[in-house]
Short mmCIF file of all heavy atoms in Angstrom, two decimals:
data_model
loop_
_atom_site.label_atom_id
_atom_site.label_comp_id
_atom_site.label_asym_id
_atom_site.label_seq_id
_atom_site.Cartn_x
_atom_site.Cartn_y
_atom_site.Cartn_z
N ASP A 462 -148.82 149.27 -101.08
CA ASP A 462 -149.35 150.09 -102.16
C ASP A 462 -149.85 151.35 -101.58
O ASP A 462 -150.62 151.36 -100.60
CB ASP A 462 -150.46 149.25 -102.90
CG ASP A 462 -149.95 148.18 -103.73
OD1 ASP A 462 -148.63 148.13 -103.93
OD2 ASP A 462 -150.62 147.24 -104.17
N GLY A 463 -149.56 152.41 -102.28
CA GLY A 463 -150.02 153.71 -101.74
C GLY A 463 -148.92 154.47 -100.94
O GLY A 463 -148.67 155.70 -101.10
N ASN A 464 -148.28 153.73 -100.05
CA ASN A 464 -147.16 154.27 -99.35
C ASN A 464 -145.92 154.21 -100.13
O ASN A 464 -145.07 155.15 -100.16
CB ASN A 464 -146.93 153.53 -98.01
CG ASN A 464 -147.96 153.89 -96.97
OD1 ASN A 464 -148.57 154.92 -96.99
ND2 ASN A 464 -148.23 152.90 -96.11
N TRP A 465 -145.73 153.11 -100.91
CA TRP A 465 -144.54 152.89 -101.66
C TRP A 465 -145.02 152.89 -103.21
O TRP A 465 -145.98 152.20 -103.54
CB TRP A 465 -143.82 151.63 -101.46
CG TRP A 465 -142.52 151.46 -102.09
CD1 TRP A 465 -142.33 150.90 -103.32
CD2 TRP A 465 -141.25 151.87 -101.59
NE1 TRP A 465 -140.98 150.90 -103.61
CE2 TRP A 465 -140.27 151.55 -102.63
CE3 TRP A 465 -140.80 152.52 -100.48
CZ2 TRP A 465 -138.97 151.86 -102.50
CZ3 TRP A 465 -139.48 152.77 -100.31
CH2 TRP A 465 -138.52 152.43 -101.29
N VAL A 466 -144.39 153.61 -104.06
CA VAL A 466 -144.79 153.74 -105.45
C VAL A 466 -143.77 153.02 -106.28
O VAL A 466 -142.54 153.25 -106.27
CB VAL A 466 -144.98 155.21 -105.90
CG1 VAL A 466 -145.26 155.32 -107.36
CG2 VAL A 466 -146.03 155.90 -105.09
N GLN A 467 -144.28 152.09 -107.16
CA GLN A 467 -143.47 151.48 -108.19
C GLN A 467 -143.84 152.16 -109.50
O GLN A 467 -144.92 152.67 -109.75
CB GLN A 467 -143.77 149.97 -108.29
CG GLN A 467 -143.37 149.27 -106.96
CD GLN A 467 -143.74 147.81 -106.93
OE1 GLN A 467 -144.83 147.41 -107.20
NE2 GLN A 467 -142.64 146.99 -106.66
N MET A 468 -142.86 152.21 -110.48
CA MET A 468 -143.08 152.87 -111.73
C MET A 468 -144.23 152.29 -112.43
O MET A 468 -144.93 153.02 -113.19
CB MET A 468 -141.86 152.78 -112.58
CG MET A 468 -140.70 153.58 -112.08
SD MET A 468 -141.15 155.45 -111.87
CE MET A 468 -141.51 155.88 -113.65
N GLU A 469 -144.50 151.05 -112.31
CA GLU A 469 -145.74 150.42 -112.93
C GLU A 469 -147.01 150.83 -112.36
O GLU A 469 -148.02 150.49 -112.95
CB GLU A 469 -145.56 148.88 -112.82
CG GLU A 469 -144.45 148.22 -113.62
CD GLU A 469 -143.08 148.30 -112.91
OE1 GLU A 469 -142.98 148.86 -111.73
OE2 GLU A 469 -142.07 147.85 -113.52
N ASP A 470 -146.98 151.64 -111.25
CA ASP A 470 -148.22 152.27 -110.71
C ASP A 470 -148.63 153.43 -111.57
O ASP A 470 -149.74 153.83 -111.58
CB ASP A 470 -147.99 152.67 -109.29
CG ASP A 470 -147.77 151.43 -108.40
OD1 ASP A 470 -148.26 150.40 -108.58
OD2 ASP A 470 -147.10 151.66 -107.32
N PHE A 471 -147.60 154.10 -112.28
CA PHE A 471 -148.03 155.15 -113.11
C PHE A 471 -148.75 154.74 -114.35
O PHE A 471 -148.53 153.50 -114.73
CB PHE A 471 -146.68 155.92 -113.57
CG PHE A 471 -146.07 156.80 -112.55
CD1 PHE A 471 -145.11 156.25 -111.71
CD2 PHE A 471 -146.38 158.17 -112.51
CE1 PHE A 471 -144.49 157.10 -110.79
CE2 PHE A 471 -145.75 158.90 -111.60
CZ PHE A 471 -144.86 158.47 -110.71
N VAL A 472 -149.50 155.51 -115.01
CA VAL A 472 -150.16 155.18 -116.25
C VAL A 472 -149.79 156.17 -117.34
O VAL A 472 -149.39 157.28 -117.09
CB VAL A 472 -151.75 155.13 -116.04
CG1 VAL A 472 -152.12 154.14 -115.00
CG2 VAL A 472 -152.22 156.54 -115.75
N TYR A 473 -149.86 155.72 -118.57
CA TYR A 473 -149.73 156.56 -119.75
C TYR A 473 -150.79 157.65 -119.75
O TYR A 473 -151.93 157.29 -119.82
CB TYR A 473 -149.68 155.77 -121.01
CG TYR A 473 -148.58 154.66 -121.08
CD1 TYR A 473 -148.94 153.36 -120.96
CD2 TYR A 473 -147.27 155.05 -121.21
CE1 TYR A 473 -147.98 152.39 -121.07
CE2 TYR A 473 -146.31 154.08 -121.29
CZ TYR A 473 -146.67 152.75 -121.20
OH TYR A 473 -145.68 151.78 -121.22
N ASN A 474 -150.40 158.85 -119.69
CA ASN A 474 -151.43 159.91 -119.52
C ASN A 474 -151.24 161.10 -120.51
O ASN A 474 -151.83 162.11 -120.33
CB ASN A 474 -151.27 160.49 -118.08
CG ASN A 474 -150.07 161.43 -117.88
OD1 ASN A 474 -149.03 161.16 -118.41
ND2 ASN A 474 -150.27 162.36 -117.07
N ALA A 475 -150.43 160.94 -121.49
CA ALA A 475 -150.27 161.99 -122.49
C ALA A 475 -151.52 162.25 -123.15
O ALA A 475 -152.16 161.36 -123.77
CB ALA A 475 -149.19 161.62 -123.51
N PRO A 476 -152.04 163.56 -123.19
CA PRO A 476 -153.32 163.93 -123.85
C PRO A 476 -153.28 163.50 -125.36
O PRO A 476 -154.32 163.16 -125.92
CB PRO A 476 -153.41 165.43 -123.72
CG PRO A 476 -152.65 165.71 -122.39
CD PRO A 476 -151.48 164.68 -122.45
N SER A 477 -152.15 163.51 -125.99
CA SER A 477 -152.03 163.12 -127.43
C SER A 477 -152.47 161.71 -127.62
O SER A 477 -153.00 161.42 -128.68
CB SER A 477 -150.66 163.43 -127.96
OG SER A 477 -149.71 162.59 -127.14
N LEU A 478 -152.22 160.84 -126.62
CA LEU A 478 -152.70 159.46 -126.81
C LEU A 478 -154.17 159.32 -126.84
O LEU A 478 -154.73 158.58 -127.60
CB LEU A 478 -152.06 158.62 -125.63
CG LEU A 478 -150.58 158.52 -125.54
CD1 LEU A 478 -150.18 157.76 -124.26
CD2 LEU A 478 -150.05 157.84 -126.73
N LYS A 479 -154.85 160.11 -125.89
CA LYS A 479 -156.29 160.03 -125.91
C LYS A 479 -156.90 160.65 -127.14
O LYS A 479 -157.82 160.03 -127.75
CB LYS A 479 -156.79 160.83 -124.70
CG LYS A 479 -158.34 160.70 -124.56
CD LYS A 479 -158.84 161.45 -123.33
CE LYS A 479 -160.36 161.32 -123.26
NZ LYS A 479 -160.88 161.98 -122.01
N GLU A 480 -156.26 161.76 -127.64
CA GLU A 480 -156.76 162.41 -128.82
C GLU A 480 -156.60 161.41 -130.01
O GLU A 480 -157.50 161.50 -130.98
CB GLU A 480 -156.03 163.65 -129.16
CG GLU A 480 -156.24 164.81 -128.10
CD GLU A 480 -155.30 165.88 -128.18
OE1 GLU A 480 -154.40 165.89 -129.18
OE2 GLU A 480 -155.31 166.85 -127.45
N ALA A 481 -155.59 160.68 -130.02
CA ALA A 481 -155.41 159.62 -131.12
C ALA A 481 -156.17 158.36 -131.00
O ALA A 481 -156.11 157.49 -131.86
CB ALA A 481 -153.88 159.42 -131.31
N GLY A 482 -156.80 158.22 -129.81
CA GLY A 482 -157.49 156.99 -129.53
C GLY A 482 -156.58 155.81 -129.33
O GLY A 482 -156.87 154.61 -129.52
N ASN A 483 -155.37 156.16 -128.81
CA ASN A 483 -154.32 155.09 -128.56
C ASN A 483 -154.79 154.20 -127.35
O ASN A 483 -155.20 154.66 -126.31
CB ASN A 483 -152.99 155.72 -128.15
CG ASN A 483 -151.85 154.71 -128.14
OD1 ASN A 483 -151.85 153.85 -127.32
ND2 ASN A 483 -150.85 154.97 -129.00
N SER A 484 -154.70 152.83 -127.55
CA SER A 484 -155.27 151.92 -126.60
C SER A 484 -154.44 151.89 -125.32
O SER A 484 -154.89 151.39 -124.29
CB SER A 484 -155.33 150.53 -127.22
OG SER A 484 -153.94 150.07 -127.54
N PHE A 485 -153.22 152.46 -125.36
CA PHE A 485 -152.40 152.40 -124.11
C PHE A 485 -152.68 153.55 -123.18
O PHE A 485 -152.20 153.53 -122.03
CB PHE A 485 -150.87 152.48 -124.54
CG PHE A 485 -150.44 151.20 -125.17
CD1 PHE A 485 -150.18 151.12 -126.58
CD2 PHE A 485 -150.19 150.03 -124.35
CE1 PHE A 485 -149.66 149.95 -127.08
CE2 PHE A 485 -149.82 148.88 -124.98
CZ PHE A 485 -149.56 148.80 -126.34
N TYR A 486 -153.49 154.52 -123.61
CA TYR A 486 -153.80 155.60 -122.73
C TYR A 486 -154.53 155.12 -121.45
O TYR A 486 -155.57 154.43 -121.55
CB TYR A 486 -154.73 156.67 -123.47
CG TYR A 486 -155.17 157.84 -122.62
CD1 TYR A 486 -154.23 158.81 -122.34
CD2 TYR A 486 -156.44 157.94 -122.07
CE1 TYR A 486 -154.65 159.96 -121.57
CE2 TYR A 486 -156.87 158.97 -121.32
CZ TYR A 486 -155.89 159.93 -121.08
OH TYR A 486 -156.20 161.01 -120.22
N GLY A 487 -154.05 155.42 -120.23
CA GLY A 487 -154.60 155.05 -119.10
C GLY A 487 -154.17 153.80 -118.51
O GLY A 487 -154.50 153.36 -117.42
N LYS A 488 -153.36 153.07 -119.29
CA LYS A 488 -152.81 151.79 -118.89
C LYS A 488 -151.52 151.92 -118.15
O LYS A 488 -150.79 152.91 -118.30
CB LYS A 488 -152.65 150.81 -120.08
CG LYS A 488 -153.99 150.43 -120.80
CD LYS A 488 -153.69 149.33 -121.77
CE LYS A 488 -155.08 148.84 -122.32
NZ LYS A 488 -154.89 147.94 -123.37
N ASN A 489 -151.20 151.01 -117.26
CA ASN A 489 -149.91 151.02 -116.50
C ASN A 489 -148.75 150.91 -117.30
O ASN A 489 -148.65 150.29 -118.44
CB ASN A 489 -149.93 149.89 -115.46
CG ASN A 489 -150.99 150.05 -114.46
OD1 ASN A 489 -152.08 149.49 -114.56
ND2 ASN A 489 -150.78 150.82 -113.36
N LEU A 490 -147.60 151.69 -116.89
CA LEU A 490 -146.36 151.64 -117.62
C LEU A 490 -145.76 150.27 -117.75
O LEU A 490 -145.89 149.46 -116.88
CB LEU A 490 -145.37 152.58 -116.95
CG LEU A 490 -145.72 154.05 -116.66
CD1 LEU A 490 -144.51 154.80 -116.27
CD2 LEU A 490 -146.40 154.66 -117.91
N GLU A 491 -145.04 150.11 -118.78
CA GLU A 491 -144.22 148.91 -119.00
C GLU A 491 -142.76 149.36 -119.35
O GLU A 491 -142.60 150.38 -120.02
CB GLU A 491 -144.70 148.09 -120.25
CG GLU A 491 -146.16 147.57 -120.05
CD GLU A 491 -146.63 146.88 -121.35
OE1 GLU A 491 -145.79 146.16 -122.01
OE2 GLU A 491 -147.82 147.00 -121.68
N LEU A 492 -141.88 148.66 -118.73
CA LEU A 492 -140.41 148.99 -119.04
C LEU A 492 -139.81 148.39 -120.29
O LEU A 492 -139.02 149.07 -120.96
CB LEU A 492 -139.55 148.62 -117.83
CG LEU A 492 -138.12 149.08 -117.87
CD1 LEU A 492 -137.92 150.54 -118.16
CD2 LEU A 492 -137.35 148.63 -116.57
N TYR A 493 -140.20 147.18 -120.63
CA TYR A 493 -139.59 146.51 -121.78
C TYR A 493 -140.68 145.97 -122.72
O TYR A 493 -141.76 145.56 -122.28
CB TYR A 493 -138.71 145.37 -121.29
CG TYR A 493 -137.57 145.70 -120.42
CD1 TYR A 493 -137.63 145.47 -119.01
CD2 TYR A 493 -136.49 146.35 -120.91
CE1 TYR A 493 -136.54 145.78 -118.27
CE2 TYR A 493 -135.33 146.68 -120.18
CZ TYR A 493 -135.40 146.42 -118.81
OH TYR A 493 -134.34 146.78 -118.00
N LEU A 494 -140.24 145.92 -123.98
CA LEU A 494 -141.03 145.13 -124.93
C LEU A 494 -140.72 143.66 -124.79
O LEU A 494 -139.76 143.31 -124.09
CB LEU A 494 -140.66 145.64 -126.40
CG LEU A 494 -141.17 147.04 -126.80
CD1 LEU A 494 -140.54 147.29 -128.21
CD2 LEU A 494 -142.55 147.06 -126.83
N PRO A 495 -141.56 142.82 -125.39
CA PRO A 495 -141.22 141.33 -125.17
C PRO A 495 -139.81 140.95 -125.65
O PRO A 495 -139.22 139.96 -125.05
CB PRO A 495 -142.25 140.64 -125.99
CG PRO A 495 -143.42 141.62 -126.04
CD PRO A 495 -142.82 143.03 -126.03
N ASP A 496 -139.24 141.70 -126.59
CA ASP A 496 -137.82 141.35 -127.02
C ASP A 496 -136.76 141.92 -126.13
O ASP A 496 -135.64 141.78 -126.54
CB ASP A 496 -137.69 141.69 -128.49
CG ASP A 496 -137.74 143.24 -128.70
OD1 ASP A 496 -137.99 143.94 -127.74
OD2 ASP A 496 -137.58 143.74 -129.87
N GLY A 497 -137.17 142.62 -125.13
CA GLY A 497 -136.19 143.26 -124.15
C GLY A 497 -135.88 144.68 -124.50
O GLY A 497 -135.02 145.32 -123.75
N THR A 498 -136.46 145.26 -125.50
CA THR A 498 -136.15 146.62 -125.86
C THR A 498 -136.72 147.43 -124.74
O THR A 498 -137.94 147.46 -124.46
CB THR A 498 -136.79 146.97 -127.24
OG1 THR A 498 -136.21 146.15 -128.28
CG2 THR A 498 -136.46 148.44 -127.58
N PRO A 499 -135.91 148.47 -124.20
CA PRO A 499 -136.44 149.36 -123.16
C PRO A 499 -137.30 150.43 -123.69
O PRO A 499 -137.08 150.91 -124.83
CB PRO A 499 -135.20 150.00 -122.48
CG PRO A 499 -134.18 149.89 -123.61
CD PRO A 499 -134.52 148.64 -124.41
N LEU A 500 -138.35 150.80 -123.04
CA LEU A 500 -139.25 151.84 -123.39
C LEU A 500 -138.93 153.12 -122.62
O LEU A 500 -139.64 154.14 -122.90
CB LEU A 500 -140.76 151.45 -123.07
CG LEU A 500 -141.15 150.16 -123.77
CD1 LEU A 500 -142.53 149.67 -123.30
CD2 LEU A 500 -141.32 150.52 -125.38
N CYS A 501 -137.91 153.12 -121.86
CA CYS A 501 -137.47 154.37 -121.17
C CYS A 501 -135.98 154.57 -121.57
O CYS A 501 -135.17 153.65 -121.30
CB CYS A 501 -137.60 154.21 -119.56
SG CYS A 501 -136.96 155.54 -118.68
N SER A 502 -135.69 155.75 -121.97
CA SER A 502 -134.38 155.93 -122.54
C SER A 502 -133.30 156.26 -121.42
O SER A 502 -132.12 156.27 -121.72
CB SER A 502 -134.32 157.06 -123.50
OG SER A 502 -134.78 158.31 -122.95
N ASP A 503 -133.74 156.58 -120.24
CA ASP A 503 -132.81 156.90 -119.07
C ASP A 503 -133.43 156.25 -117.86
O ASP A 503 -134.13 156.97 -116.99
CB ASP A 503 -132.56 158.42 -118.99
CG ASP A 503 -131.56 158.75 -117.88
OD1 ASP A 503 -131.02 157.80 -117.31
OD2 ASP A 503 -131.36 159.90 -117.66
#
């Protein structure tokens, strides 16, 4: 950790999330929803 970065090490950081009080702001990224739907389009 620190030398090698996994995408889950990133956090949701869009200022609009904080402004809206979104609970995911500052939390680590997730690639899929529980039903397998991807949260990244590419």
